[in-house]
Amino acid sequence: MDWKVLRRDVVTSTNEVAKELVAEGTEPATVVVAAKQIAGRGRFGRRWASPRGGLYVSAILREELRQLPLLSLASALAVVDVLETRGLQATLKWPNDVQVGDAKVAGILVEGIVVAEGYWAVVGIGINSDVYVEDLPVDLEGPATTLRHELGRRVDNETLLADILAALEARLPGREGGADLVARYKALCTTLGQDVTIRTAAGTLEGHAVDVDPQGFLILETPEGERVEVAEGTVRPRS
Ligand code: BTN
């Protein structure tokens, strides 16, 4: 894919800039990357801490809305693929938190947009890369880490960006490398096999996480023995 990378210094959120570009009629494969975000967003309207040194990128793709859950898993997997080349084994907390041990190192926010010409997706990827752990805010939802901390050395965000875009392209649903996507995702997903509580827009669910289906939905077995398909939500291990 011929990515066209637009570099910015400070933005509100690269996803916001990308969505504006879609509305203005940009080309697919346009990528927005910023050195710092002042209103970086996570899933469910949460804040994404975005100090200088992190990698904040949004890739614009043509994608059907029904593919978005899978696209979001594929993007998380692409990050894991790249971290592996740096000697770091990351895991995934459903749907797309990239973790090293129990600490989050990267997150994905995929947003769908419908305009007259069809369906688009903005794939927002945030990586705590060349950042000191001390530079992350203390009031984050859960434990967080950075690549600089885990690797014990500086991280070159330019090389990281190039590698992430190549890995994302290889992992896109329907592409070569996309076929084993769900199998590989499941092998890395620490949520599977756990008793969990999931906060969703429709309420809270409890159960045992047993599977991820081909669409990327989490399959939960409830205490009543029912199998429930979960499309989105925030997972916590059940205490
Ligand atoms: C999450 O884990 O909740 C998702 C975090 C996604 C953060 C990235 S940083 C680049 C892009 N721009 C944003 O405002 N959010 C995403």
Side-chain angles (χ1 to χ4, degrees):
M1 199 176 299
D2 210 1
W3 298 107
K4 180 183 165 206
V5 181
L6 306 178
R7 289 162 210 284
R8 301 284 180 266
D9 186 33
V10 182
V11 298
T12 50
S13 148
T14 53
N15 268 33
E16 289 314 311
V17 176
K19 287 198 282 184
E20 284 162 18
L21 290 172
V22 171
E24 287 162 14
T26 194
E27 294 296 313
T30 302
V31 173
V32 182
V33 58
K36 178 181 159 127
Q37 301 183 115
I38 52 174
R41 290 189 295 110
R43 293 167 61 235
F44 303 109
R46 287 192 285 252
R47 187 166 69 98
W48 182 258
S50 311
R52 279 188 195 275
L55 183 66
Y56 314 111
V57 44
S58 296
I60 298 171
L61 299 166
R62 292 295 294 250
E63 198 64 76
E64 298 285 337
L65 295 186
R66 65 185 164 79
Q67 286 280 24
L68 298 192
L70 211 50
L71 179 58
S72 121
L73 301 197
S75 311
L77 214 43
V79 175
V80 175
D81 290 342
V82 173
L83 298 193
E84 240 171 40
T85 67
R86 309 293 202 268
L88 207 57
Q89 185 57 66
T91 54
L92 295 160
K93 184 178 138 198
W94 185 87
N96 52 24
D97 284 0
V98 180
Q99 298 193 310
V100 177
D102 280 339
K104 182 162 167 173
V105 71
I108 315 286
L109 178 65
V110 175
E111 298 185 272
I113 306 156
V114 186
V115 290
E117 309 83 58
Y119 299 103
W120 295 73
V122 169
V123 178
I125 302 175
I127 306 180
N128 301 331
S129 49
D130 197 33
V131 178
Y132 286 112
V133 174
E134 299 75 37
D135 288 340
L136 295 175
V138 285
D139 60 343
L140 297 175
E141 277 238 335
T145 190
T146 74
L147 293 186
R148 184 166 180 163
H149 178 77
E150 296 298 330
L151 297 170
R153 55 178 149 85
R154 304 247 5 217
V155 178
D156 176 17
N157 276 335
E158 274 306 306
T159 322
L160 186 61
L161 172 65
D163 292 351
I164 290 287
L165 293 177
L168 178 62
E169 181 175 356
R171 284 286 176 199
L172 287 180
R175 295 219 163 207
E176 194 190 337
D180 69 338
L181 196 145
V182 176
R184 163 113 167 111
Y185 179 89
K186 288 201 285 194
L188 290 164
C189 180
T190 52
T191 310
L192 290 177
Q194 281 188 343
D195 287 325
V196 293
T197 301
I198 308 184
R199 215 168 59 221
T200 76
T204 301
L205 294 165
E206 290 209 332
H208 191 67
V210 291
D211 203 3
V212 174
D213 77 6
Q215 294 177 88
F217 294 169
L218 186 70
I219 308 296
L220 204 64
E221 209 164 81
T222 68
E224 295 76 37
E226 218 185 312
R227 280 169 86 91
V228 182
E229 211 179 43
V230 189
E232 50 82 30
T234 303
V235 176
R236 297 254 175 289
R238 203 157 72 199
S239 41

